[in-house]
Amino acid sequence: MIDYFETKTNPITKKMVLEAYKKVKENGGSAGVDQQNLEAYARKLPKNLYRLWNRLTSGSYFPSPVREAKIPKKSGGYRSLGIPTVEDRIAQQVVKSYLEPKIDFTFHPDSYGYRSGKSAHDALEAADKRCREFQWVLDVDIKGFFDNLDHELLLKGLEHYTKEKWVNMYVKRWLKAGVLSSDNVVIDRISGTPQGGVISPLLANIYLHFTFDKWIEKYYPYVRFERYCDDIVIHCVSQSQAEFIKRVITKRFNECKLELNENKTHIVYCKNRFRKEKHKNVSFDFLGYTFRPRLWKTKQGLMLVFTPCMSQQAKKAVRDKIRGLALYRFQVSIQELAKTLNPKLRGWINYYCKYNKWSTNKLWSFVNLKIAKWLKDNRKFPIRRAFRWLRGVFKIQPNLFAHWEFARP
């Protein structure tokens, strides 16, 4: 019997490729430069997976360019995503699934982004707790992180974790893969990793693990922070300490070929009823939440507390997505409409109602208005009658729409 490793260069099994395909299918995604989506890829699945496995194991696999897609940013403007082909996403998932368990446990406990067993809510909880403990925050924004991370430094960090040539070879090929722009021109990539690639979040964590996490742990062990991929919040005991940390981080990032976005990097005073200093910045956004002072009703009366709630940018993004659904086109019953909307509504509720859910009430009232307008367009109801009709439905089926627990029609 011939051993597997006697006939193949790289230790990749057919099972690894199949499991990678299942994860890619579960995550979904659009087609790359070859215009082949997951459904089309699955029509000849055994043949396609075998061909990919054969190429990966022999070292003859080369990725296609990534397709550029521009998506609007919550803060305005557009973010450029790089969409790999289905086959390239499967290949990246093979390497990610192989590599991640070997290195994830070495990452800093306050690194939360795209890690097993950690979530954005964990990062928010830590930030909320530390804002009560520390008076000052340095809200860090890295300018074009995914587009600017240095390939040489990234590969050096990767080699710290693995000496396996096939892993480093394929990561290098993905980094060097060109980008097919919206003008149908292939642009060579000299830095960065496509924001949209399966393996990109893991590579980003490796890069910032050495650039920031380990560095600050070594030289400034008294500093507490939360990092979710390239979103970083640093807690300080004084304004002067925050200014000092900003200076040394700016220098450190420059050494690692990164740059702070000066317009979005702020020193923030976590003002509450016990903190009386005056400062122009008393709020910051982190992971879709705004941390700022708010009047809070207690047994002793109204008190000023520094606490998170859903940000205005996040609310605008949700409203835009609701508008983008164009509900007037849905010629269905209200029960069918609820089945369409509820998965999205539950996702938003589960994420944005973790803290101070009362602050989202106006958003859910907006959803009620869009449903009433749907009735106006499809049933020819005047808007007041539409709301009366919805209130009648609510009495019979109060849980029909997920958001009705926050805002009745």
Side-chain angles (χ1 to χ4, degrees), residues 81-93:
L81 293 184
I83 311 298
T85 64
V86 171
E87 188 167 82
D88 289 340
R89 296 208 297 272
I90 297 170
Q92 288 185 23
Q93 185 63 57

Side-chain angles (χ1 to χ4, degrees), residues 332-343:
V332 295
S333 68
I334 194 166
Q335 286 76 18
E336 289 297 320
L337 183 69
K339 287 182 181 178
T340 300
L341 288 180
N342 278 340

Side-chain angles (χ1 to χ4, degrees), residues 6 9 19 22 47 58 78 80 103 106 125 137 194 232 244 297 314 348 352:
E6 290 181 23
T9 304
E19 291 300 318
K22 291 178 180 178
K47 180 180 178 181
S58 65
Y78 291 87
S80 180
I103 67 176
T106 70
E125 184 177 351
V137 154
I232 306 173
F244 169 75
K297 188 176 181 179
W348 292 324
Y352 290 113

Side-chain angles (χ1 to χ4, degrees), residues 229-241:
C229 202
D230 60 329
D231 289 335
I232 306 173
V233 171
I234 303 172
H235 302 272
C236 301
V237 296
S238 65
Q239 183 176 0
S240 59
Q241 186 187 73

Side-chain angles (χ1 to χ4, degrees), residues 105-145:
F105 71 94
T106 70
F107 289 157
H108 196 282
D110 280 315
S111 167
Y112 297 90
Y114 308 103
R115 294 184 61 192
S116 177
K118 289 182 177 288
S119 69
H121 282 161
D122 294 331
L124 288 163
E125 184 177 351
D128 185 35
K129 178 181 177 182
R130 287 167 179 163
C131 283
R132 292 194 294 269
E133 183 180 352
F134 298 90
Q135 297 187 47
W136 296 87
V137 154
L138 176 61
D139 178 24
V140 177
D141 187 275
I142 305 174
K143 190 174 182 178
F145 170 70

Side-chain angles (χ1 to χ4, degrees), residues 1 45 53 56 77 87 100 190 194 232 269 278 287 290 345:
M1 181 177 180
L45 187 61
W53 167 77
L56 284 170
E87 188 167 82
E100 194 168 39
I190 58 175
I232 306 173
Y269 182 54
K278 292 185 179 180
L287 302 178
T290 295
L345 292 171

